[in-house]
Amino acid sequence: MSKGSQRYFLGVDGGGTGCRARIEDEAGNLLGQGLSGPATTRLGIEEAWASIARAFNAAIEEAELSEDDLGRVHVGIGLAGIGRIGALEALSAIPTPFASVDFVSDGMGACLGAHSGRDGAIVIAGTGSIGLGFVEGRDLRIGGYGFPISDEGSGADLGLKAIQMALRANDGRIEKTALLSEVMQRFHGDPMEAVAWMDRSSATDYATLAPMVMRHADQGDAAGRRIVQSAAEHIDTLVRTLFDQGAPRVTLLGGLASPLQAWLSPDVRRRLKPADGDAVSGAIILARRSAGEDASRAPPPVDAE
């Protein structure tokens, strides 16, 4: 096939911590990659798109595509917060030189990549938590309504539970353990410092305590074990619920996926499937569908933030 008739497929994964892009040719050969900073609609449409553009422009430059080539580039973008009211419409209205541009949430992009575009589901256990999938044209969503009212089993939830128990131990209501002592050291042993910290902290701030909780739990700390076991039970429930709702396969993803594996119930561990590919792979699958390759099965955007 001559370069003049070659199609290209560009995938972008835009999340709250960073944005990644890859471009492939029709045979699946990697031509270029790009990275940029956070891309989420929480930052505003203009800033999110600017980050996406920096990533895909870097990939296009590495691929050495010309301006004439861009009209044969099909783009798939998985973006955090795409389900926010008006976000999809605003992003779709941005003019581009590409043959097509399609959007899904970052979670659905990860799900497409995890199962090579086949029906299936994922549980994300990171700063937040959520179960997402698609089965025979149906979208599945379990939890993920935001911290602190939801996101059970997440890093933020681990941090919150640790602070709650540390304050109780500080009062003498429960036994003080090494974990709970270390948490209070963060606040110089003063509950009022914890209150002041709470007033200005986000889910990400709470999640910074998760590695400490996991470390103490793995060392046998009673409070740490209690917190982590509860988190694992919540992840177990997300996985089982997705299977109950028809998901033929489920993959566990996110920063806590590996640390929590050993804490999950044996039946859940046995049923989990490793990911085929990452969220950028999923975005490329979306781009290929936009070009007419099995496009009828592409899932609609669902907010996974």
Short mmCIF file of all heavy atoms in Angstrom, two decimals, residues 99-171:
data_model
loop_
_atom_site.label_atom_id
_atom_site.label_comp_id
_atom_site.label_asym_id
_atom_site.label_seq_id
_atom_site.Cartn_x
_atom_site.Cartn_y
_atom_site.Cartn_z
N ALA A 99 -9.18 12.54 10.08
CA ALA A 99 -10.28 11.89 9.37
C ALA A 99 -11.47 11.67 10.30
O ALA A 99 -12.63 11.78 9.89
CB ALA A 99 -9.82 10.56 8.79
N SER A 100 -11.20 11.34 11.56
CA SER A 100 -12.27 11.15 12.54
C SER A 100 -11.68 11.27 13.94
O SER A 100 -10.49 11.01 14.13
CB SER A 100 -12.96 9.80 12.38
OG SER A 100 -12.07 8.74 12.67
N VAL A 101 -12.52 11.68 14.88
CA VAL A 101 -12.12 11.75 16.29
C VAL A 101 -13.29 11.25 17.12
O VAL A 101 -14.39 11.78 17.02
CB VAL A 101 -11.76 13.19 16.73
CG1 VAL A 101 -11.34 13.18 18.20
CG2 VAL A 101 -10.65 13.77 15.86
N ASP A 102 -13.06 10.22 17.91
CA ASP A 102 -14.09 9.67 18.79
C ASP A 102 -13.60 9.69 20.23
O ASP A 102 -12.40 9.52 20.48
CB ASP A 102 -14.47 8.25 18.39
CG ASP A 102 -15.63 8.21 17.41
OD1 ASP A 102 -15.99 9.28 16.89
OD2 ASP A 102 -16.14 7.12 17.15
N PHE A 103 -14.55 9.85 21.16
CA PHE A 103 -14.21 9.93 22.58
C PHE A 103 -14.91 8.84 23.37
O PHE A 103 -16.06 8.48 23.07
CB PHE A 103 -14.65 11.28 23.15
CG PHE A 103 -13.93 12.47 22.60
CD1 PHE A 103 -14.40 13.12 21.46
CD2 PHE A 103 -12.80 12.98 23.21
CE1 PHE A 103 -13.76 14.23 20.94
CE2 PHE A 103 -12.15 14.09 22.70
CZ PHE A 103 -12.63 14.72 21.56
N VAL A 104 -14.24 8.34 24.39
CA VAL A 104 -14.86 7.57 25.47
C VAL A 104 -14.21 8.04 26.77
O VAL A 104 -13.26 8.82 26.75
CB VAL A 104 -14.67 6.04 25.33
CG1 VAL A 104 -15.47 5.47 24.17
CG2 VAL A 104 -13.20 5.67 25.21
N SER A 105 -14.72 7.56 27.88
CA SER A 105 -14.08 7.86 29.14
C SER A 105 -12.73 7.14 29.22
O SER A 105 -12.49 6.16 28.50
CB SER A 105 -14.95 7.42 30.31
OG SER A 105 -14.99 6.01 30.39
N ASP A 106 -11.87 7.61 30.10
CA ASP A 106 -10.58 6.93 30.27
C ASP A 106 -10.78 5.51 30.77
O ASP A 106 -10.04 4.59 30.39
CB ASP A 106 -9.66 7.73 31.20
CG ASP A 106 -10.28 8.00 32.57
OD1 ASP A 106 -11.52 7.99 32.70
OD2 ASP A 106 -9.52 8.23 33.53
N GLY A 107 -11.81 5.30 31.59
CA GLY A 107 -12.09 3.96 32.09
C GLY A 107 -12.52 3.01 30.99
O GLY A 107 -12.06 1.86 30.92
N MET A 108 -13.40 3.48 30.11
CA MET A 108 -13.85 2.63 29.01
C MET A 108 -12.72 2.37 28.02
O MET A 108 -12.63 1.31 27.43
CB MET A 108 -15.05 3.25 28.30
CG MET A 108 -16.36 3.02 29.02
SD MET A 108 -16.75 1.27 29.23
CE MET A 108 -18.43 1.35 29.81
N GLY A 109 -11.83 3.36 27.86
CA GLY A 109 -10.65 3.12 27.03
C GLY A 109 -9.78 2.02 27.60
O GLY A 109 -9.29 1.15 26.88
N ALA A 110 -9.62 2.03 28.93
CA ALA A 110 -8.85 0.98 29.58
C ALA A 110 -9.53 -0.37 29.43
O ALA A 110 -8.86 -1.40 29.27
CB ALA A 110 -8.67 1.32 31.06
N CYS A 111 -10.87 -0.38 29.47
CA CYS A 111 -11.60 -1.63 29.32
C CYS A 111 -11.45 -2.19 27.91
O CYS A 111 -11.25 -3.40 27.73
CB CYS A 111 -13.08 -1.41 29.66
SG CYS A 111 -14.04 -2.91 29.85
N LEU A 112 -11.52 -1.35 26.91
CA LEU A 112 -11.31 -1.79 25.54
C LEU A 112 -9.92 -2.41 25.38
O LEU A 112 -9.75 -3.46 24.75
CB LEU A 112 -11.46 -0.60 24.58
CG LEU A 112 -12.87 -0.16 24.22
CD1 LEU A 112 -12.83 1.19 23.51
CD2 LEU A 112 -13.56 -1.19 23.34
N GLY A 113 -8.91 -1.74 25.95
CA GLY A 113 -7.56 -2.25 25.84
C GLY A 113 -7.35 -3.54 26.61
O GLY A 113 -6.64 -4.44 26.14
N ALA A 114 -7.98 -3.64 27.77
CA ALA A 114 -7.79 -4.83 28.61
C ALA A 114 -8.29 -6.09 27.96
O ALA A 114 -7.76 -7.18 28.19
CB ALA A 114 -8.48 -4.63 29.96
N HIS A 115 -9.33 -5.96 27.12
CA HIS A 115 -9.96 -7.14 26.52
C HIS A 115 -9.92 -7.14 25.00
O HIS A 115 -10.72 -7.81 24.36
CB HIS A 115 -11.40 -7.26 27.02
CG HIS A 115 -11.51 -7.26 28.52
ND1 HIS A 115 -10.87 -8.19 29.30
CD2 HIS A 115 -12.16 -6.43 29.37
CE1 HIS A 115 -11.14 -7.94 30.58
NE2 HIS A 115 -11.91 -6.88 30.65
N SER A 116 -8.98 -6.35 24.44
CA SER A 116 -8.80 -6.31 22.98
C SER A 116 -10.10 -5.98 22.26
O SER A 116 -10.36 -6.48 21.17
CB SER A 116 -8.23 -7.65 22.48
OG SER A 116 -6.98 -7.91 23.07
N GLY A 117 -10.93 -5.14 22.86
CA GLY A 117 -12.17 -4.72 22.24
C GLY A 117 -13.33 -5.66 22.43
O GLY A 117 -14.44 -5.36 22.01
N ARG A 118 -13.10 -6.80 23.07
CA ARG A 118 -14.19 -7.76 23.29
C ARG A 118 -15.02 -7.33 24.51
O ARG A 118 -14.58 -6.52 25.33
CB ARG A 118 -13.63 -9.16 23.55
CG ARG A 118 -12.88 -9.75 22.36
CD ARG A 118 -12.29 -11.09 22.73
NE ARG A 118 -11.30 -10.96 23.79
CZ ARG A 118 -10.80 -11.97 24.49
NH1 ARG A 118 -11.23 -13.20 24.25
NH2 ARG A 118 -9.88 -11.76 25.42
N ASP A 119 -16.21 -7.90 24.64
CA ASP A 119 -17.02 -7.66 25.82
C ASP A 119 -16.24 -8.05 27.07
O ASP A 119 -15.53 -9.07 27.10
CB ASP A 119 -18.31 -8.48 25.78
CG ASP A 119 -19.36 -7.87 24.86
OD1 ASP A 119 -19.06 -6.84 24.21
OD2 ASP A 119 -20.49 -8.41 24.79
N GLY A 120 -16.39 -7.27 28.10
CA GLY A 120 -15.70 -7.56 29.35
C GLY A 120 -15.82 -6.38 30.28
O GLY A 120 -16.52 -5.40 30.01
N ALA A 121 -15.13 -6.46 31.40
CA ALA A 121 -15.22 -5.42 32.41
C ALA A 121 -13.89 -5.27 33.11
O ALA A 121 -13.00 -6.12 33.03
CB ALA A 121 -16.32 -5.76 33.42
N ILE A 122 -13.75 -4.15 33.80
CA ILE A 122 -12.57 -3.88 34.61
C ILE A 122 -13.01 -3.34 35.96
O ILE A 122 -14.08 -2.74 36.08
CB ILE A 122 -11.62 -2.86 33.95
CG1 ILE A 122 -12.35 -1.53 33.68
CG2 ILE A 122 -11.02 -3.42 32.67
CD1 ILE A 122 -11.44 -0.40 33.20
N VAL A 123 -12.19 -3.58 36.95
CA VAL A 123 -12.30 -2.88 38.23
C VAL A 123 -11.03 -2.06 38.38
O VAL A 123 -9.92 -2.60 38.27
CB VAL A 123 -12.46 -3.85 39.41
CG1 VAL A 123 -12.33 -3.10 40.73
CG2 VAL A 123 -13.80 -4.55 39.34
N ILE A 124 -11.19 -0.76 38.57
CA ILE A 124 -10.05 0.12 38.77
C ILE A 124 -9.92 0.38 40.27
O ILE A 124 -10.87 0.86 40.90
CB ILE A 124 -10.22 1.44 38.01
CG1 ILE A 124 -10.35 1.18 36.51
CG2 ILE A 124 -9.04 2.37 38.29
CD1 ILE A 124 -10.66 2.42 35.69
N ALA A 125 -8.77 0.06 40.82
CA ALA A 125 -8.48 0.33 42.22
C ALA A 125 -7.25 1.21 42.28
O ALA A 125 -6.12 0.72 42.18
CB ALA A 125 -8.25 -0.97 43.00
N GLY A 126 -7.47 2.50 42.36
CA GLY A 126 -6.39 3.46 42.40
C GLY A 126 -6.70 4.50 43.45
O GLY A 126 -7.13 4.17 44.56
N THR A 127 -6.53 5.78 43.11
CA THR A 127 -6.95 6.84 44.03
C THR A 127 -8.43 6.67 44.34
O THR A 127 -8.86 6.81 45.49
CB THR A 127 -6.68 8.22 43.41
OG1 THR A 127 -5.28 8.37 43.22
CG2 THR A 127 -7.18 9.33 44.32
N GLY A 128 -9.23 6.37 43.31
CA GLY A 128 -10.64 6.02 43.47
C GLY A 128 -10.86 4.58 43.08
O GLY A 128 -9.91 3.84 42.80
N SER A 129 -12.12 4.17 43.04
CA SER A 129 -12.42 2.80 42.59
C SER A 129 -13.73 2.81 41.81
O SER A 129 -14.62 3.63 42.07
CB SER A 129 -12.54 1.84 43.77
OG SER A 129 -13.67 2.14 44.57
N ILE A 130 -13.83 1.89 40.85
CA ILE A 130 -15.04 1.78 40.04
C ILE A 130 -15.02 0.45 39.29
O ILE A 130 -13.94 -0.09 39.01
CB ILE A 130 -15.14 2.95 39.02
CG1 ILE A 130 -16.51 3.02 38.35
CG2 ILE A 130 -14.02 2.88 37.99
CD1 ILE A 130 -16.74 4.27 37.51
N GLY A 131 -16.18 -0.07 38.98
CA GLY A 131 -16.31 -1.21 38.08
C GLY A 131 -16.98 -0.76 36.81
O GLY A 131 -18.02 -0.09 36.84
N LEU A 132 -16.39 -1.08 35.65
CA LEU A 132 -16.90 -0.64 34.35
C LEU A 132 -16.84 -1.78 33.36
O LEU A 132 -15.96 -2.63 33.42
CB LEU A 132 -16.05 0.50 33.79
CG LEU A 132 -16.11 1.87 34.44
CD1 LEU A 132 -15.02 2.75 33.86
CD2 LEU A 132 -17.48 2.50 34.22
N GLY A 133 -17.77 -1.78 32.41
CA GLY A 133 -17.70 -2.77 31.35
C GLY A 133 -18.78 -2.58 30.33
O GLY A 133 -19.60 -1.67 30.43
N PHE A 134 -18.77 -3.44 29.33
CA PHE A 134 -19.83 -3.47 28.33
C PHE A 134 -20.04 -4.91 27.90
O PHE A 134 -19.11 -5.66 27.70
CB PHE A 134 -19.53 -2.56 27.12
CG PHE A 134 -18.11 -2.53 26.68
CD1 PHE A 134 -17.64 -3.41 25.71
CD2 PHE A 134 -17.22 -1.63 27.23
CE1 PHE A 134 -16.32 -3.39 25.30
CE2 PHE A 134 -15.89 -1.60 26.82
CZ PHE A 134 -15.44 -2.48 25.87
N VAL A 135 -21.32 -5.28 27.83
CA VAL A 135 -21.71 -6.65 27.51
C VAL A 135 -22.90 -6.62 26.56
O VAL A 135 -23.97 -6.10 26.91
CB VAL A 135 -22.11 -7.43 28.78
CG1 VAL A 135 -22.57 -8.83 28.43
CG2 VAL A 135 -20.94 -7.48 29.77
N GLU A 136 -22.70 -7.09 25.35
CA GLU A 136 -23.78 -7.19 24.36
C GLU A 136 -24.53 -5.86 24.22
O GLU A 136 -25.75 -5.82 24.22
CB GLU A 136 -24.73 -8.31 24.74
CG GLU A 136 -24.07 -9.69 24.73
CD GLU A 136 -25.02 -10.79 25.15
OE1 GLU A 136 -26.13 -10.47 25.62
OE2 GLU A 136 -24.64 -11.97 25.01
N GLY A 137 -23.77 -4.78 24.11
CA GLY A 137 -24.36 -3.47 23.92
C GLY A 137 -24.80 -2.77 25.19
O GLY A 137 -25.23 -1.61 25.15
N ARG A 138 -24.72 -3.44 26.32
CA ARG A 138 -25.08 -2.83 27.60
C ARG A 138 -23.83 -2.29 28.28
O ARG A 138 -22.79 -2.93 28.30
CB ARG A 138 -25.74 -3.85 28.54
CG ARG A 138 -27.10 -4.33 28.12
CD ARG A 138 -27.67 -5.25 29.20
NE ARG A 138 -26.92 -6.48 29.35
CZ ARG A 138 -26.25 -6.84 30.44
NH1 ARG A 138 -26.21 -6.03 31.50
NH2 ARG A 138 -25.60 -8.00 30.48
N ASP A 139 -23.96 -1.10 28.87
CA ASP A 139 -22.88 -0.54 29.68
C ASP A 139 -23.06 -0.98 31.12
O ASP A 139 -24.18 -0.98 31.64
CB ASP A 139 -22.88 0.98 29.63
CG ASP A 139 -22.66 1.51 28.22
OD1 ASP A 139 -21.80 0.96 27.53
OD2 ASP A 139 -23.35 2.47 27.84
N LEU A 140 -21.97 -1.35 31.76
CA LEU A 140 -21.99 -1.70 33.17
C LEU A 140 -21.21 -0.65 33.95
O LEU A 140 -20.13 -0.23 33.53
CB LEU A 140 -21.33 -3.07 33.40
CG LEU A 140 -21.87 -4.26 32.60
CD1 LEU A 140 -21.09 -5.52 32.96
CD2 LEU A 140 -23.35 -4.46 32.87
N ARG A 141 -21.79 -0.23 35.05
CA ARG A 141 -21.06 0.68 35.95
C ARG A 141 -21.46 0.35 37.37
O ARG A 141 -22.63 0.34 37.72
CB ARG A 141 -21.39 2.14 35.66
CG ARG A 141 -20.76 3.06 36.71
CD ARG A 141 -20.92 4.52 36.42
NE ARG A 141 -20.32 5.30 37.50
CZ ARG A 141 -19.81 6.51 37.36
NH1 ARG A 141 -19.82 7.09 36.19
NH2 ARG A 141 -19.28 7.14 38.40
N ILE A 142 -20.44 0.09 38.21
CA ILE A 142 -20.66 -0.23 39.61
C ILE A 142 -19.81 0.71 40.45
O ILE A 142 -18.59 0.73 40.34
CB ILE A 142 -20.25 -1.69 39.93
CG1 ILE A 142 -20.81 -2.67 38.90
CG2 ILE A 142 -20.69 -2.06 41.35
CD1 ILE A 142 -22.31 -2.76 38.87
N GLY A 143 -20.44 1.51 41.28
CA GLY A 143 -19.72 2.41 42.18
C GLY A 143 -19.04 3.54 41.43
O GLY A 143 -19.45 3.94 40.34
N GLY A 144 -17.97 4.06 42.05
CA GLY A 144 -17.22 5.14 41.42
C GLY A 144 -17.91 6.48 41.43
O GLY A 144 -17.71 7.29 40.53
N TYR A 145 -18.69 6.75 42.47
CA TYR A 145 -19.45 7.99 42.53
C TYR A 145 -18.69 9.13 43.19
O TYR A 145 -19.22 10.22 43.35
CB TYR A 145 -20.79 7.76 43.23
CG TYR A 145 -21.60 6.69 42.55
CD1 TYR A 145 -21.86 5.48 43.18
CD2 TYR A 145 -22.06 6.88 41.25
CE1 TYR A 145 -22.58 4.48 42.54
CE2 TYR A 145 -22.78 5.88 40.61
CZ TYR A 145 -23.03 4.69 41.26
OH TYR A 145 -23.73 3.69 40.62
N GLY A 146 -17.46 8.86 43.56
CA GLY A 146 -16.62 9.92 44.11
C GLY A 146 -16.39 9.80 45.60
O GLY A 146 -17.26 9.38 46.36
N PHE A 147 -15.20 10.15 46.00
CA PHE A 147 -14.80 10.15 47.40
C PHE A 147 -15.33 11.42 48.08
O PHE A 147 -15.31 12.49 47.46
CB PHE A 147 -13.27 10.12 47.45
CG PHE A 147 -12.67 10.18 48.82
CD1 PHE A 147 -12.58 9.04 49.59
CD2 PHE A 147 -12.20 11.38 49.34
CE1 PHE A 147 -12.02 9.09 50.87
CE2 PHE A 147 -11.65 11.44 50.60
CZ PHE A 147 -11.55 10.30 51.37
N PRO A 148 -15.84 11.35 49.30
CA PRO A 148 -15.85 10.21 50.22
C PRO A 148 -17.15 9.40 50.23
O PRO A 148 -17.26 8.46 51.01
CB PRO A 148 -15.66 10.89 51.58
CG PRO A 148 -16.41 12.19 51.44
CD PRO A 148 -16.18 12.61 49.99
N ILE A 149 -18.13 9.74 49.36
CA ILE A 149 -19.41 9.02 49.45
C ILE A 149 -19.34 7.65 48.78
O ILE A 149 -20.24 6.83 48.97
CB ILE A 149 -20.57 9.84 48.83
CG1 ILE A 149 -20.34 10.07 47.34
CG2 ILE A 149 -20.75 11.15 49.57
CD1 ILE A 149 -21.54 10.65 46.62
N SER A 150 -18.29 7.40 47.99
CA SER A 150 -18.18 6.14 47.27
C SER A 150 -16.70 5.77 47.20
O SER A 150 -15.94 6.07 48.10
CB SER A 150 -18.81 6.29 45.88
OG SER A 150 -18.78 5.09 45.15
N ASP A 151 -16.29 5.08 46.12
CA ASP A 151 -14.89 4.72 45.90
C ASP A 151 -14.33 3.82 47.01
O ASP A 151 -13.17 3.94 47.41
CB ASP A 151 -14.02 5.96 45.72
CG ASP A 151 -14.33 6.67 44.42
OD1 ASP A 151 -15.43 6.46 43.88
OD2 ASP A 151 -13.48 7.43 43.94
N GLU A 152 -15.17 2.89 47.48
CA GLU A 152 -14.74 1.96 48.51
C GLU A 152 -13.60 1.09 48.00
O GLU A 152 -13.57 0.69 46.86
CB GLU A 152 -15.90 1.07 48.94
CG GLU A 152 -17.10 1.81 49.49
CD GLU A 152 -18.11 2.24 48.44
OE1 GLU A 152 -17.80 2.13 47.22
OE2 GLU A 152 -19.22 2.67 48.82
N GLY A 153 -12.65 0.80 48.87
CA GLY A 153 -11.51 -0.03 48.49
C GLY A 153 -10.42 0.71 47.74
O GLY A 153 -9.46 0.10 47.29
N SER A 154 -10.56 2.01 47.63
CA SER A 154 -9.58 2.82 46.89
C SER A 154 -8.46 3.29 47.80
O SER A 154 -8.51 3.16 49.04
CB SER A 154 -10.28 4.03 46.29
OG SER A 154 -10.70 4.92 47.33
N GLY A 155 -7.44 3.90 47.20
CA GLY A 155 -6.37 4.49 47.98
C GLY A 155 -6.86 5.60 48.89
O GLY A 155 -6.43 5.71 50.04
N ALA A 156 -7.77 6.42 48.39
CA ALA A 156 -8.33 7.48 49.21
C ALA A 156 -9.09 6.91 50.40
O ALA A 156 -9.02 7.42 51.52
CB ALA A 156 -9.24 8.37 48.37
N ASP A 157 -9.82 5.83 50.16
CA ASP A 157 -10.59 5.18 51.22
C ASP A 157 -9.65 4.58 52.28
O ASP A 157 -9.92 4.68 53.48
CB ASP A 157 -11.47 4.09 50.62
CG ASP A 157 -12.52 3.57 51.58
OD1 ASP A 157 -13.14 4.40 52.28
OD2 ASP A 157 -12.73 2.36 51.63
N LEU A 158 -8.55 3.97 51.84
CA LEU A 158 -7.56 3.46 52.79
C LEU A 158 -7.04 4.58 53.69
O LEU A 158 -6.91 4.42 54.91
CB LEU A 158 -6.39 2.80 52.06
CG LEU A 158 -6.63 1.47 51.36
CD1 LEU A 158 -5.35 1.02 50.67
CD2 LEU A 158 -7.08 0.41 52.33
N GLY A 159 -6.71 5.72 53.07
CA GLY A 159 -6.20 6.85 53.84
C GLY A 159 -7.21 7.38 54.83
O GLY A 159 -6.87 7.69 55.99
N LEU A 160 -8.45 7.50 54.40
CA LEU A 160 -9.51 8.00 55.27
C LEU A 160 -9.69 7.09 56.48
O LEU A 160 -9.75 7.54 57.63
CB LEU A 160 -10.82 8.11 54.51
CG LEU A 160 -12.07 8.46 55.33
CD1 LEU A 160 -11.93 9.82 56.00
CD2 LEU A 160 -13.32 8.41 54.46
N LYS A 161 -9.76 5.77 56.22
CA LYS A 161 -9.97 4.82 57.32
C LYS A 161 -8.80 4.86 58.30
O LYS A 161 -8.99 4.74 59.52
CB LYS A 161 -10.13 3.40 56.76
CG LYS A 161 -11.36 3.20 55.88
CD LYS A 161 -12.64 3.38 56.67
CE LYS A 161 -13.87 2.91 55.89
NZ LYS A 161 -14.09 3.67 54.65
N ALA A 162 -7.59 5.03 57.79
CA ALA A 162 -6.42 5.09 58.66
C ALA A 162 -6.47 6.31 59.57
O ALA A 162 -6.15 6.22 60.77
CB ALA A 162 -5.14 5.10 57.83
N ILE A 163 -6.87 7.45 59.03
CA ILE A 163 -6.96 8.66 59.85
C ILE A 163 -8.07 8.53 60.88
O ILE A 163 -7.91 8.90 62.06
CB ILE A 163 -7.17 9.90 58.96
CG1 ILE A 163 -5.92 10.15 58.11
CG2 ILE A 163 -7.49 11.13 59.81
CD1 ILE A 163 -6.09 11.23 57.07
N GLN A 164 -9.20 7.99 60.48
CA GLN A 164 -10.30 7.79 61.42
C GLN A 164 -9.87 6.92 62.60
O GLN A 164 -10.13 7.25 63.77
CB GLN A 164 -11.49 7.16 60.71
CG GLN A 164 -12.20 8.09 59.74
CD GLN A 164 -13.29 7.39 58.94
OE1 GLN A 164 -13.21 6.17 58.70
NE2 GLN A 164 -14.28 8.14 58.51
N MET A 165 -9.20 5.81 62.30
CA MET A 165 -8.78 4.90 63.36
C MET A 165 -7.66 5.52 64.20
O MET A 165 -7.60 5.30 65.43
CB MET A 165 -8.32 3.57 62.77
CG MET A 165 -9.46 2.77 62.17
SD MET A 165 -8.94 1.13 61.56
CE MET A 165 -8.63 0.28 63.12
N ALA A 166 -6.78 6.31 63.58
CA ALA A 166 -5.71 6.96 64.33
C ALA A 166 -6.28 7.94 65.34
O ALA A 166 -5.78 8.05 66.48
CB ALA A 166 -4.76 7.67 63.37
N LEU A 167 -7.32 8.66 64.96
CA LEU A 167 -7.94 9.61 65.89
C LEU A 167 -8.62 8.87 67.04
O LEU A 167 -8.56 9.31 68.19
CB LEU A 167 -8.94 10.48 65.14
CG LEU A 167 -8.33 11.48 64.16
CD1 LEU A 167 -9.42 12.14 63.31
CD2 LEU A 167 -7.53 12.55 64.89
N ARG A 168 -9.23 7.74 66.73
CA ARG A 168 -9.84 6.95 67.81
C ARG A 168 -8.78 6.43 68.76
O ARG A 168 -8.97 6.44 69.99
CB ARG A 168 -10.64 5.79 67.21
CG ARG A 168 -11.87 6.22 66.44
CD ARG A 168 -12.56 5.01 65.80
NE ARG A 168 -13.45 5.42 64.73
CZ ARG A 168 -13.67 4.73 63.63
NH1 ARG A 168 -13.06 3.57 63.45
NH2 ARG A 168 -14.50 5.18 62.71
N ALA A 169 -7.68 5.96 68.21
CA ALA A 169 -6.59 5.45 69.06
C ALA A 169 -6.00 6.57 69.90
O ALA A 169 -5.64 6.37 71.08
CB ALA A 169 -5.52 4.80 68.20
N ASN A 170 -5.89 7.74 69.31
CA ASN A 170 -5.35 8.88 70.05
C ASN A 170 -6.22 9.23 71.25
O ASN A 170 -5.73 9.66 72.30
CB ASN A 170 -5.22 10.08 69.11
CG ASN A 170 -4.48 11.24 69.74
OD1 ASN A 170 -3.25 11.19 69.87
ND2 ASN A 170 -5.20 12.28 70.14
N ASP A 171 -7.53 9.02 71.09
CA ASP A 171 -8.48 9.27 72.19
C ASP A 171 -8.48 8.15 73.23
O ASP A 171 -9.07 8.30 74.31
CB ASP A 171 -9.91 9.39 71.64
CG ASP A 171 -10.13 10.66 70.84
OD1 ASP A 171 -9.29 11.57 70.92
OD2 ASP A 171 -11.16 10.73 70.14
#
